[in-house]
Amino acid sequence: MISLNTTNRRSKHILMKNFILCLSFWAFSTVLCTAQTYADDIASIMFDNCTSCHHSGGIGPFSLMTFTEVSSMASIIQTEVNNGDMPPWSPNTHYSEFAMERSLTAAEITSINNWINNGTPQGNPSNTPAAPSYNNNAVLGNPDLSLRIPTYISKATAGNDDYVCFSIPTGLLQNETIQALEVIPGNPEIVHHVLAYIDPTGSYGTDTSSHSCGGPTASNIPLIAGYAPGSMPSQFPNTATLKMGIDVPAGSELILAMHYPEGSQGKVDSTRINLHFYPQGTSNVRQVSAQPLINNLSFNINANTVDSVEALFPPNFALPSNYSLFSIFPHAHLLGQNFIVYGVNTIPPYDTIPLIHIPKWDFEWQGFYVFKQMQKIPIGYQLYGKCVYDNTTN
């Protein structure tokens, strides 16, 4: 399934939002004649790419906030970085560009290798940049509305993740339009991801008993946001020439679909979501919609077979209007291997618009990726998606 945050210029009332796994990073030039040190070269790489997960109380299994912590884990860091497993960034950066890509440059990888191969020198401690602060408080400040799930104790045992859904009344007496929102995990150590939905009728309800609730699939309960480790608050453009947002009807409920990973049994969480609204009366806010446009839910792959699954949107004809794509969310489960998605013209010479390529799918790291520039898919194109699955003993 490929979920796309889109804007259809002909539609007046489509709801939706984006989810970004994002961290900023700096590109550092390396001077090969000078040995790298932690203070001058490595600390900033760690702070910009690693510590949002790897800090005390974060979801990472160890902290990387100090020289002592980083140097003691040097061997593991070098292996994970050179394998491309850390920091986790699945999209191919040579295929399409996304905002706030969390991937190391070749120069940064060289700096890490040189530093470790030279014995992890600390350098002058006074040159170490200020470490970021992680206190699990709101980045965007006081919201217009804050909703929190009831205190919940994870039921995720060894080998079994826990998926639960909470339906929370908004209490809104009038329609509002979201300009920004922020998911704040109550316990960052155990919150693997959160998906937020708007339920206009309050019909979905809470499910904490099946432990397999992945969230609503009905089109009238749209997805509006998501969170995963390293996520930043979601803010839509709000300028004189472009305003984007998400309508929230009065009397609606908000659904938070929570994922707690295996091994978190007995730990407590109370995640909240903060909503920031446009002032009442704000006009010309362009609505955003997140929907699973490209999907194939009926495929069958034989045992001991590697096979691909493909789908088109629209399935049997070209787009009748222009679409602007804000973000994209490829989604598969444990057998997925790789993804590619692009727009393709339905008439010769069949030009393509590259959207996303994930060469090595990882179920544990998935989410919305926001395009660096919104991608226009013109009239006459289709959206094409393909995923390869490995259904062998591997």
Side-chain angles (χ1 to χ4, degrees), residues 106-123:
E108 289 172 325
I109 294 173
T110 298
S111 290
I112 292 172
N113 281 315
N114 288 343
W115 175 68
I116 294 173
N117 293 337
N118 287 324
T120 67
Q122 181 176 13

Side-chain angles (χ1 to χ4, degrees), residues 34-170:
T34 303
Q36 275 75 26
T37 67
Y38 173 80
D40 292 320
D41 305 283
I42 305 304
S44 292
I45 299 176
M46 296 293 116
F47 294 159
D48 290 339
N49 297 280
C50 308
T51 56
S52 64
C53 293
H54 291 276
H55 64 269
S56 179
I59 199 170
F62 48 82
S63 176
L64 294 175
M65 293 291 292
T66 68
F67 165 72
T68 299
E69 292 170 342
V70 174
S71 59
S72 68
M73 302 300 294
S75 177
I76 292 176
I77 292 172
Q78 188 169 37
T79 298
E80 294 294 313
V81 165
N82 289 328
N83 286 346
D85 293 329
M86 288 287 158
W89 183 259
S90 298
N92 176 358
T93 56
H94 300 292
Y95 188 74
S96 54
E97 291 187 312
F98 295 98
M100 312 280 290
E101 291 179 350
R102 191 183 59 250
S103 59
L104 299 179
T105 66
E108 289 172 325
I109 294 173
T110 298
S111 290
I112 292 172
N113 281 315
N114 288 343
W115 175 68
I116 294 173
N117 293 337
N118 287 324
T120 67
Q122 181 176 13
N124 184 349
S126 64
N127 292 345
T128 305
S133 175
Y134 301 104
N135 54 16
N136 301 324
N137 289 328
V139 174
L140 298 181
N142 293 329
D144 296 303
L145 178 64
S146 184
L147 301 173
R148 186 188 297 269
I149 68 170
T151 299
Y152 180 74
I153 301 175
S154 172
K155 307 300 188 297
T157 57
N160 293 285
D161 290 11
D162 192 9
Y163 295 86
V164 292
C165 296
F166 297 92
S167 185
I168 310 167
T170 62

Side-chain angles (χ1 to χ4, degrees), residues 22 40 43 50 55 65 113 119 149 169 259 314 333 342-344 352 360:
C22 61
D40 292 320
C50 308
H55 64 269
M65 293 291 292
N113 281 315
I149 68 170
H259 173 199
H333 287 252
Y342 51 82
V344 57
T352 61
K360 184 181 178 182

Side-chain angles (χ1 to χ4, degrees), residues 165-183:
C165 296
F166 297 92
S167 185
I168 310 167
T170 62
L172 293 176
L173 301 179
Q174 57 186 346
N175 297 340
E176 300 284 358
T177 301
I178 296 172
Q179 194 276 319
L181 53 80
E182 183 174 5
V183 175

